[in-house]
Amino acid sequence: MATGTSRVWRNWSERVECRPSNFAEPQSLEQLQSVVREASAAGKKVRVVGSGHSFTEIVATDDVLITLDGLQGVIEAKKDAGEATVWAGTKLHRLNPMLDEHGMAMENLGDINVQSIAGAFHPHPVVAGDRGAEDGIMTGQRGLHCGRLPLPKL
């Protein structure tokens, strides 16, 4: 895992940038938890970045910036149920080939497919900084679970 490195991070438009004191690229849940624990013990703020697709400065930090690029792939696939659990860092453009190994696929995929699955399904980028450690992967959630959703009649 690359950690303890300082480098300039820029979003996709290059209009938002920062130089975090620690840019971490964990390759396992245990490494991710370690980075978060160390940051917490040092009183540092933690931000998680996906593909940098947001226009906002929500990710910009001088403290700890974590990329989930090393946490990609299918954790569990239930073909009969039409459900898969994948790591939050999984990029959309890589998801269908991964699902295909389980006889599954996403039926529809937008033209912007560089996003991580967590970023694509997150309701709004501004919320990410307000939730705290009680939500999401920090409490042991391993990935984002998506299944069939009921569609309203139009």
Side-chain angles (χ1 to χ4, degrees):
M1 167 181 68
T3 186
T5 61
S6 178
R7 65 171 234 197
V8 174
W9 175 87
R10 292 180 181 88
N11 73 340
W12 72 274
S13 70
E14 298 188 358
R15 293 184 181 193
V16 177
E17 71 176 44
C18 65
R19 183 178 289 277
S21 61
N22 181 358
F23 185 83
E25 299 176 78
Q27 304 297 307
S28 68
L29 179 60
E30 293 75 20
Q31 287 180 356
L32 174 61
Q33 291 169 331
S34 176
V35 170
V36 173
R37 281 189 201 104
E38 290 171 14
S40 179
K44 298 204 175 224
K45 293 180 182 177
V46 174
R47 294 285 187 249
V48 178
V49 64
S51 299
H53 192 256
S54 177
F55 288 96
T56 72
E57 295 183 7
I58 190 67
V59 172
T61 184
D62 294 331
D63 286 339
V64 179
L65 186 60
I66 300 173
T67 177
L68 299 179
D69 287 351
L71 298 172
Q72 297 191 50
V74 175
I75 296 169
E76 180 181 26
K78 298 178 182 176
K79 183 178 179 182
D80 293 339
E83 299 176 353
T85 304
V86 302
W87 286 101
T90 305
K91 302 297 186 219
L92 291 177
H93 66 91
R94 296 187 64 207
L95 185 55
N96 267 341
M98 292 175 181
L99 291 174
D100 186 46
E101 293 176 14
H102 302 277
M104 303 171 71
M106 291 181 58
E107 291 182 30
N108 190 5
L109 187 61
D111 63 339
I112 300 175
N113 64 0
V114 296
Q115 297 169 297
S116 65
I117 193 81
F121 280 89
H122 196 282
H124 194 279
V126 175
V127 179
D130 299 332
R131 290 192 169 174
E134 70 275 8
D135 189 30
I137 198 164
M138 301 315 160
T139 58
Q141 178 178 333
R142 295 181 56 198
L144 182 67
H145 176 84
C146 301
R148 293 184 181 157
L149 301 175
L151 298 176
K153 293 182 180 178
L154 301 177

